[in-house]
Amino acid sequence: MCGIVGYIGTQAATDILLAGLEKLEYRGYDSAGIATVWEGEVNCVRAKGKLHNLRSKLEQIETPAQIGIGHTRWATHGKPEEYNAHPHMDTAKRVAVVQNGIIENYRELREELKGKGHQFVSETDTEVIPHLIAEFLKNLPPSSSSSPLLEAIRQAVNRLHGAFALAVISADYPDELIVVRQQAPLVIGFGQGELFCASDTPAIVSYTRAVLPLENGEIARLTPLGVEIYNFAGDRLKKQPRLLNFNPAMVEKQGFKHFMLKEIHEQPGVVRASLEAYFNPAESTESPINLGLPADLYTDLEQIQIVACGTSWHAALIGKYLLEQLAGISTQVHYASEYRYAASPVTANTLIIGVTQSGETADTLAALAMEKERRQGKEPKYQARLLGITNRPESSLGHLVPHIISTLAGIEIGVAATKTFTAQLMAFYALALDLAARRQTVSKDILEKIINGLRQIPKEIEATLESQERLTEQLAHEFAETKDFIFVGRGINFPIALEGALKLKEISYIHAEGYPAGEMKHGPIALLDAKVPVVAIAIPGSVYEKVISNAQEAKARDSRLIGVTPVKDGEAGEIFNDLLPVSDVEELLSPILTVVPLQLLAYHIAARRGLDVDQPRNLAKSVTVE
Ligand code: AGP
């Protein structure tokens, strides 16, 4: 996903913009650029590849400009080449724009503007914006507005269809930075005599914790005198900044080589924070869980539909298992990108859950928006049955659905989701147990036993991290050049096999697939030979023996077997060539543990291959395009 930064104040803008872009690198990008206004000109510098390429270009032409915008681009329209990098300018090079999102009607606008003499130099959708602004500026009646730049931009954005967060500067209005938000996040930061804007708070938090996230349909004018906010109709809005409870250290590596490794190690703390937040009701007698959700969200529930993507979809599969096995509610899980075009029949007693750590994934937001639309005009209870599970409650998701369960992972910088996945699992344990308590589908004793088991998990994760770090690093040496990996699991650990495969493929670029262990003999076993290792998750419980026999079948095809299991002797000791031992916990709770060695294995293999673990190629931290 692209990253936007902007600055207007009393300091030199260039270094502040570069530092902000560095804090947004985790979003994934393939080119970058900065534009500033100095001595009546727009000074625009762009570079393909990583930020150090841009930095070295800037060092040769640095100016003391005190206003500017910056951008890291994740290519959607047009190759990741310098000529497509942002900022983009109008023909006269008087207006510079950076954008996150997609302009869906850019082709018609481009043709219209070309017809008016505007010359285009890129393949991007974004480039229509500076030309459109210049066109409106040219046609504004003199003194028709106290800020012609603001008015021209307001008129321009009313012509745009799609999702766009913008930051705009102009050589003719050197004291104004204009920002716009429509379906893509943008936040304003309030410093001492200086103002910031960014796609996400990590780019701002080093300078200020006073922030104001813009909402959809809002446009703001930042000047040395302060901030004015308007809607797209031009009406002035009154809004107050709020203080972020954000620790700048959270966006530092703190001695770890990569953010991903740091975030894997933060998981015990994430589980503790979740236990503290969800499992400490005030004086509730009906349920030992406190999710802050209204009771009528639960009454008469007949079914649950969950929409999500990627790792969040894997968390949703575990949520399904928990909601069905503990609360007895039929639950379906859908890829959000598919659900949008084949929505399930729902009733007033259907709860729709959207799971997205970023709260900005376009497919998930679109599926939820469709569900919200379907409910328009229906009874209030029906409309209320939309729930989001997200790590960013201030995101677009937070504005879209009436109810949110905030996961408590803290900012996750690594593109590969790790601690946010664990946080999502904790939210699903809490939701399933809450529903089970209210529907009395599980006795108080069993509830208490499960919750006590969860309270042991943080220290079990710590023990697993302690024992696995070296083991997985050693294994990584042997598998760094492997071409194919198979992960298998059954029951509540089948989604963990999927997650282990996704982690490996997305950061090491090694082909990996996850399967239900029982499915191997229905085709995939044909893939197996000595060159294809198999990771099997074998946890004592309802399916342990079956997984062991599936592992036997794989071993008979000469695959090297890696076992994620607490069992060290007997069959497990004989079958598995390598063991990734985990603590012996209840099968129901085991996914929070079994995912950890798979995260570490993927991490160490990718690190061994010398790859960019925190920003894997082609990936973005949240995918705001469809
Ligand atoms: C997970 O490691 C991937 N980065 C990706 O699959 C991610 O889970 C997916 O894009 C969904 O993101 P979200 O949770 O922010 O919606």
Side-chain angles (χ1 to χ4, degrees):
M1 189 162 87
C2 302
I4 290 175
V5 293
Y7 175 78
I8 181 168
T10 54
Q11 301 183 64
T14 301
D15 283 346
I16 291 173
L17 295 169
L18 271 172
L21 291 178
E22 281 165 1
K23 290 288 190 283
L24 298 181
E25 284 192 288
Y26 73 90
R27 298 162 71 90
Y29 70 103
D30 39 51
S31 59
I34 278 176
T36 56
V37 172
W38 178 249
E39 294 181 340
E41 299 295 327
V42 175
N43 179 16
C44 183
V45 180
R46 302 176 298 177
K48 182 178 176 180
K50 293 300 182 186
L51 281 177
H52 58 75
N53 298 337
L54 177 64
R55 184 180 287 278
S56 52
K57 284 180 87 170
L58 281 164
E59 275 157 7
Q60 296 153 28
I61 47 170
E62 196 149 351
T63 72
Q66 297 171 335
I67 178 172
I69 54 178
H71 189 264
T72 48
R73 178 175 183 251
W74 186 76
T76 57
H77 295 69
K79 292 184 180 55
E81 298 295 340
E82 182 176 327
Y83 65 85
N84 282 327
H86 301 206
H88 285 288
M89 294 194 280
D90 63 315
T91 310
K93 299 191 185 327
R94 307 300 296 169
V95 178
V97 176
V98 292
Q99 180 215 357
N100 178 24
I102 285 189
I103 306 301
E104 292 173 351
N105 60 331
Y106 83 96
R107 287 186 181 81
E108 64 188 80
L109 289 171
R110 190 183 174 103
E111 289 316 306
E112 180 190 321
L113 290 160
K114 275 182 175 175
K116 293 174 179 173
H118 295 264
Q119 288 136 25
F120 286 81
V121 296
S122 83
E123 302 157 345
T124 67
D125 54 334
T126 303
E127 195 188 353
V128 299
I129 301 171
H131 292 285
L132 198 57
I133 294 168
E135 186 64 23
F136 280 116
L137 272 174
K138 186 176 70 178
N139 297 322
L140 266 185
S143 71
S144 62
S145 160
S146 58
S147 164
L149 181 63
L150 175 71
E151 178 55 19
I153 293 169
R154 188 189 69 77
Q155 292 183 25
V157 298
N158 277 296
R159 289 292 311 277
L160 303 179
H161 302 160
F164 46 91
L166 308 178
V168 186
I169 54 175
S170 168
D172 301 317
Y173 304 91
D175 292 330
E176 297 186 41
L177 168 59
I178 310 291
V179 294
V180 179
R181 173 190 173 141
Q182 180 68 329
Q183 305 291 347
L186 201 73
V187 60
I188 297 169
F190 293 74
Q192 298 296 328
E194 54 190 11
L195 291 162
F196 307 82
C197 74
S199 302
D200 200 357
T201 45
I204 290 176
V205 74
S206 315
Y207 305 98
T208 177
R209 290 172 44 211
V211 300
L212 173 61
L214 282 185
E215 300 201 35
N216 288 335
E218 292 184 347
I219 182 169
R221 176 174 177 252
L222 283 56
T223 73
L225 302 176
V227 177
E228 302 156 25
I229 298 178
Y230 303 85
N231 61 23
F232 282 8
D235 306 320
R236 181 81 185 264
L237 306 172
K238 287 283 176 228
K239 307 194 81 166
Q240 290 302 322
R242 61 184 174 80
L243 273 187
L244 267 181
N245 58 344
F246 193 104
N247 167 4
M250 289 171 75
V251 290
E252 305 303 335
K253 290 181 188 155
Q254 291 169 349
F256 287 94
K257 190 174 177 208
H258 296 102
F259 280 110
M260 182 179 175
L261 187 58
K262 171 188 163 215
E263 288 151 4
I264 290 170
H265 281 262
E266 286 177 340
Q267 291 178 121
V270 169
V271 175
R272 286 194 179 96
S274 306
L275 289 165
E276 179 61 31
Y278 304 147
F279 292 80
N280 272 318
E283 65 297 328
S284 156
T285 51
E286 196 186 11
S287 163
I289 315 292
N290 175 15
L291 286 170
L293 297 172
D296 69 6
L297 197 65
Y298 299 108
T299 46
D300 316 324
L301 266 192
E302 290 163 357
Q303 62 167 315
I304 295 175
Q305 305 283 356
I306 308 176
V307 293
C309 303
T311 287
S312 296
W313 185 78
H314 297 152
L317 289 175
I318 291 178
K320 166 186 167 66
Y321 188 96
L322 297 170
L323 290 163
E324 291 189 335
Q325 303 306 317
L326 292 174
I329 301 181
S330 171
T331 302
Q332 306 308 317
V333 177
H334 307 270
Y335 284 118
S337 55
E338 290 296 309
Y339 189 77
R340 300 177 58 188
Y341 305 103
S344 300
V346 293
T347 69
N349 296 328
T350 300
L351 172 64
I352 301 287
I353 303 177
V355 187
T356 164
Q357 68 82 17
S358 64
E360 298 297 348
T361 297
D363 290 320
T364 307
L365 295 177
L368 290 169
M370 180 198 72
E371 278 298 339
K372 191 172 183 178
E373 184 61 35
R374 277 212 295 187
R375 283 158 166 67
Q376 288 305 321
K378 307 276 188 183
E379 56 180 307
K381 182 177 77 168
Y382 192 168
Q383 296 191 42
R385 289 198 158 157
L386 289 169
L387 170 66
I389 296 179
T390 185
N391 206 45
R392 308 302 299 272
E394 76 282 3
S395 62
S396 301
L397 178 78
H399 298 286
L400 180 61
V401 297
H403 306 296
I404 289 280
I405 297 176
S406 294
T407 54
L408 302 163
I411 287 276
E412 183 175 70
I413 303 294
V415 166
T418 50
K419 63 175 183 172
T420 53
F421 174 70
T422 301
Q424 289 170 343
L425 296 191
M426 289 306 293
F428 274 117
Y429 278 102
L431 180 62
L433 290 167
D434 195 16
L435 280 163
R438 292 166 188 267
R439 298 161 62 93
Q440 297 178 341
T441 47
V442 173
S443 71
K444 282 191 187 307
D445 291 350
I446 298 287
L447 273 176
E448 196 173 320
K449 181 169 178 272
I450 294 171
I451 293 172
N452 288 337
L454 282 171
R455 293 193 191 286
Q456 306 310 311
I457 291 295
K459 69 178 173 58
E460 300 301 353
I461 298 177
E462 281 161 350
T464 301
L465 287 167
E466 184 69 31
S467 66
Q468 298 293 335
E469 188 69 72
R470 192 176 37 78
L471 274 173
T472 46
E473 194 166 6
Q474 283 165 351
L475 273 180
H477 286 239
E478 300 180 50
F479 291 115
E481 297 317 313
T482 301
K483 295 287 177 275
D484 297 284
F485 251 95
I486 298 288
F487 292 74
V488 297
R490 279 183 182 246
I492 198 168
N493 277 296
F494 158 51
I496 297 299
L498 297 175
E499 176 60 11
L502 175 61
K503 287 280 100 42
L504 183 64
K505 62 183 134 183
E506 72 173 318
I507 63 174
S508 73
Y509 317 152
I510 291 174
H511 173 251
E513 295 305 330
Y515 288 105
E519 268 302 292
M520 285 303 290
K521 54 188 175 298
H522 298 287
I525 200 166
L527 294 171
L528 301 190
D529 60 26
K531 296 192 296 297
V532 181
V534 173
V535 178
I537 304 164
I539 301 298
S542 57
V543 293
Y544 176 76
E545 285 72 21
K546 290 285 189 295
V547 173
I548 292 295
S549 59
N550 297 142
Q552 293 270 23
E553 293 155 8
K555 193 160 181 79
R557 273 74 186 176
D558 298 329
S559 280
R560 181 164 169 181
L561 265 292
I562 302 163
V564 178
T565 177
V567 183
K568 296 180 178 54
D569 48 21
E571 281 184 308
E574 286 159 22
I575 290 172
F576 293 119
N577 302 96
D578 307 280
L579 285 178
L580 294 176
V582 290
S583 309
D584 191 355
V585 298
E586 280 298 316
E587 181 183 25
L588 187 80
L589 308 181
S590 62
I592 313 175
L593 274 188
T594 54
V595 73
V596 174
L598 303 187
Q599 293 168 340
L600 288 171
L601 182 62
Y603 169 78
H604 285 297
I605 289 176
R608 180 83 193 152
R609 289 162 66 91
L611 297 172
D612 193 343
V613 174
D614 286 330
Q615 300 148 37
R617 69 184 180 194
N618 308 335
L619 296 185
K621 184 58 185 168
S622 63
V623 183
T624 57
V625 295
E626 296 171 25

